[in-house]
């Protein structure tokens, strides 16, 4: 127990202690009721605003009326519905792959896929900024985990030459969740071909945002035929919940048989699956939402840069404003909340020391007026704390 108390005190001293969560009492939208107060939300992954779209709600209600609330079991026993199969077909067509398999979350997809595919004979080359679920999948399987410098292709090649095993996997986020930048998939596929590695992309933040009709980062780089495994989540731009893996039929058959997080867990409920099906249909047919979002995000990023902020170079709606010091990042975030704006402060260990940041994520439904207000308040508090001059 003493050790626990010491660890908590140390976290508090460093400004890294995670306080209780903020409570929402409205739907997930660009404006929410947070702690009883109307608040502009700039911390959601609901990029297209689909979480609260009436068409998703109706699809979920209809599915609940027809199939009930729970799915009753694992897909391998009695928990596999025609809806599961329809969503897997839809995802495969959307991603342009032979087949797909749905998991209960993106976290479970990464852990299940990587831990079942690789064993101690494998070397896994993973970008240093990859999501924690990729790292956890690698740690579960006893393989050699080799982390290369963020998006550094020279470092990746050096590490492949030095550490490659009899089987090799290169795994990367498509869009990095804390920086909003995009992995150089065109270069990664070349290295994979040269050294005989399997490629896997976690496109949690790319789907609905980049590529042909929002189909993701792999499409953005036009490397659809070269990426072996595309993983993603249904919980961000798609607005529902769940994870998936898409690729050649042989991979999907393999994961259906060996991915433990798929096998030993009750399957997704009908309402969530129906909502995901509707969301993908909307994304495919209403590209203007996505185009508007990217244009708005680019304009806002440029405005912040012009005001003197250090902003990561991003073409996505994730706009990280680097503050550096963890305590200052938290203080700005708290001050903004008083003004009716929620932007989360992201601190170590989620990001490296000295790079604490405010992670703004824009939604297609934010208005110009809201963004003007956010900009003015952000500038005011950043100046007050000496983050920018003025
Ligand atoms: C890059 C990345 N991969 C995987 C996940 C996990 O997805 P999910 O939230 O569906 O578990 C996330 C979300 O936090 C993510 O940002």
């Amino acid at each position: 127990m003493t050790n626990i108390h010491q660890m908590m005190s140390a976290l508090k001293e460093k400004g890294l202690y995670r306080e209780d969560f903020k409570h929402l009492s409205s739907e997930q939208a660009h404006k929410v009721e947070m702690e009883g107060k109307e608040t502009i939300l700039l911390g959601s992954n609901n990029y297209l605003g689909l979480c609260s779209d009436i068409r998703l709600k109706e699809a979920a209600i209809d599915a609940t009326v027809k199939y009930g609330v729970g799915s009753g079991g694992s897909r391998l026993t009695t928990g596999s519905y025609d809806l599961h199969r329809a969503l897997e077909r839809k995802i495969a067509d959307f991603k342009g792959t032979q087949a797909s398999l749905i998991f209960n979350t993106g976290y479970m997809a990464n852990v299940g896929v990587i831990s079942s595919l690789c064993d101690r004979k494998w070397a896994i080359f993973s970008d240093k900024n990859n999501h924690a679920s990729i790292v956890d999948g690698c740690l579960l399987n006893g393989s050699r985990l080799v982390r290369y410098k963020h998006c550094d292709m020279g470092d990746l090649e050096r590490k492949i030459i030095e550490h490659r095993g009899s089987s090799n996997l290169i795994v990367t986020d498509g869009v990095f969740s804390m920086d909003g930048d995009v992995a150089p998939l065109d270069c990664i596929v070349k290295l994979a071909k040269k050294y005989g590695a399997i490629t896997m992309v976690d496109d949690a933040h790319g789907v609905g945002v980049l590529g042909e009709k929002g189909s993701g980062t792999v499409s953005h780089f036009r490397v659809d035929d070269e990426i072996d495994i595309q993983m993603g989540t249904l919980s961000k731009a798609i607005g529902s919940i769940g994870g998936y893996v898409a690729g050649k039929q042989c991979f999907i058959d393999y994961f259906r048989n060996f991915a433990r997080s798929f096998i030993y867990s009750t399957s997704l409920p009908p309402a969530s699956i129906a909502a995901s099906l509707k969301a993908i249909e909307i994304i495919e047919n209403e590209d203007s939402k996505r185009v508007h979002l990217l244009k708005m995000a680019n304009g806002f990023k440029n405005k912040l840069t012009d005001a003197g902020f250090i902003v990561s170079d991003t073409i996505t709606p994730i706009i990280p404003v680097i503050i550096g010091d963890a305590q200052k990042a938290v203080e700005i975030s708290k001050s903004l909340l008083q003004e009716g704006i929620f932007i989360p402060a992201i601190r170590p260990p989620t990001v490296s020391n000295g790079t604490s940041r405010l992670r703004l994520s824009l939604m297609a439904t934010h208005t110009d007026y809201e963004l003007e207000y956010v900009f003015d308040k952000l500038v005011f508090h950043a100046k007050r704390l000496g983050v920018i001059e003025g």
Side-chain angles (χ1 to χ4, degrees):
M1 279 310 274
T2 326
N3 197 19
I4 289 181
H5 291 310
Q6 280 168 354
M7 286 169 76
M8 300 300 261
S9 306
L11 274 185
K12 283 180 186 163
E13 271 162 32
K14 288 185 204 151
L16 301 180
Y17 181 72
R18 296 174 204 260
E19 308 263 350
D20 194 8
F21 309 114
K22 305 281 177 295
H23 290 279
L24 300 179
S25 39
S26 64
E27 62 186 17
Q28 180 84 198
H30 58 118
K31 242 183 198 174
V32 291
E33 189 175 309
M34 183 178 278
E35 305 291 345
K37 186 173 162 192
E38 188 174 82
T39 304
I40 302 170
L41 182 62
L42 282 119
S44 176
N45 301 314
N46 175 22
Y47 302 117
L48 299 172
L50 290 176
C51 278
S52 55
D53 189 291
I54 184 67
R55 293 165 291 180
L56 270 69
K57 291 181 187 175
E58 282 170 359
I61 291 166
D62 290 350
T64 304
V65 170
K66 179 167 178 194
Y67 297 95
V69 177
S71 69
S74 160
R75 295 280 296 286
L76 274 78
T77 56
T78 53
S80 195
Y81 290 80
D82 47 3
L83 276 176
H84 288 92
R85 200 184 294 172
L87 180 57
E88 285 171 348
R89 189 65 261 147
K90 185 92 186 155
I91 292 170
D93 291 345
F94 182 46
K95 304 291 287 181
T97 60
Q98 283 179 357
S100 82
L101 185 70
I102 46 179
F103 289 70
N104 290 350
T105 63
Y107 185 97
M108 289 169 78
N110 269 336
V111 165
V113 163
I114 300 173
S115 66
S116 62
L117 183 66
C118 308
D119 61 20
R120 51 190 73 240
K121 294 193 279 305
W122 283 68
I124 303 179
F125 300 92
S126 171
D127 188 290
K128 199 170 160 294
N129 288 9
N130 275 348
H131 190 257
S133 52
I134 293 180
V135 179
D136 292 357
C138 297
L139 295 178
L140 268 181
N141 61 24
S143 57
R144 193 178 327 143
L145 172 59
V146 184
R147 299 176 83 183
Y148 61 91
K149 288 186 195 151
H150 178 51
C151 289
D152 184 333
M153 294 299 101
D155 192 48
L156 173 57
E157 183 158 17
R158 274 190 296 281
K159 297 238 158 92
I160 295 177
I161 292 168
E162 211 174 307
H163 299 286
R164 93 188 115 139
S166 50
S167 301
N168 300 286
L169 172 70
I170 303 175
V171 58
T172 181
D173 283 9
V175 172
F176 290 88
S177 54
M178 291 302 136
D179 292 290
D181 57 342
V182 180
L185 296 187
D186 47 347
C187 302
I188 287 178
V189 295
K190 282 189 194 137
L191 288 178
K193 212 176 262 173
K194 187 165 168 191
Y195 294 103
I198 285 180
T199 48
M200 174 170 171
V201 173
D202 171 343
D203 216 14
H205 296 272
V207 163
V209 171
L210 295 179
E212 175 87 18
K213 292 194 172 172
S215 62
T217 317
V218 171
S219 155
H220 174 78
F221 281 100
R222 299 182 196 283
V223 288
D224 309 61
D225 294 335
E226 282 116 311
I227 296 292
D228 299 298
I229 301 169
Q230 296 192 49
M231 171 273 164
T233 172
L234 302 163
S235 65
K236 302 193 192 298
I238 293 174
S240 179
I241 180 96
Y244 62 82
V245 58
K248 289 212 173 82
Q249 188 70 52
C250 60
F251 278 119
I252 301 309
D253 292 341
Y254 180 84
F255 297 132
R256 195 174 57 247
N257 281 279
F258 290 103
R260 292 168 67 86
S261 60
F262 169 78
I263 297 170
Y264 297 108
S265 191
T266 299
S267 67
L268 282 174
S272 309
I273 303 172
S276 295
L277 269 164
K278 181 53 75 181
I280 298 174
E281 187 188 309
I282 293 172
I283 291 171
E284 285 176 322
N285 293 321
E286 295 179 12
D287 207 33
S288 55
K289 263 194 205 332
R290 183 181 74 84
V291 173
H292 167 68
L293 172 66
L294 293 183
K295 196 167 163 227
M296 186 169 66
N298 189 45
F300 199 64
K301 182 192 78 174
N302 290 339
K303 205 167 153 172
L304 290 169
T305 310
D306 292 347
F309 286 103
I310 301 170
V311 182
S312 293
D313 194 18
T314 162
I315 55 165
T316 70
I318 302 172
I319 307 179
V321 177
I322 310 299
I323 304 296
D325 178 64
Q327 316 251 26
K328 274 191 189 171
V330 172
E331 185 169 344
I332 298 179
S333 176
K334 279 186 177 162
S335 303
L336 290 172
L337 194 57
Q338 303 280 323
E339 317 256 20
I341 300 164
F342 180 70
I343 305 175
I346 311 287
R347 296 164 283 170
T350 309
V351 294
S352 3
N353 283 331
T355 72
S356 288
R357 64 199 62 190
L358 297 170
R359 179 187 180 273
L360 284 81
S361 48
L362 265 54
M363 293 165 60
T365 41
H366 279 121
T367 64
D368 290 345
Y369 175 78
E370 285 164 354
L371 293 186
E372 281 285 322
Y373 177 73
V374 170
F375 177 79
D376 290 347
K377 296 295 176 191
L378 190 53
V379 167
F380 174 79
H381 290 292
K383 281 186 178 166
R384 183 172 65 78
L385 290 174
V387 172
I388 56 171
E389 284 176 15

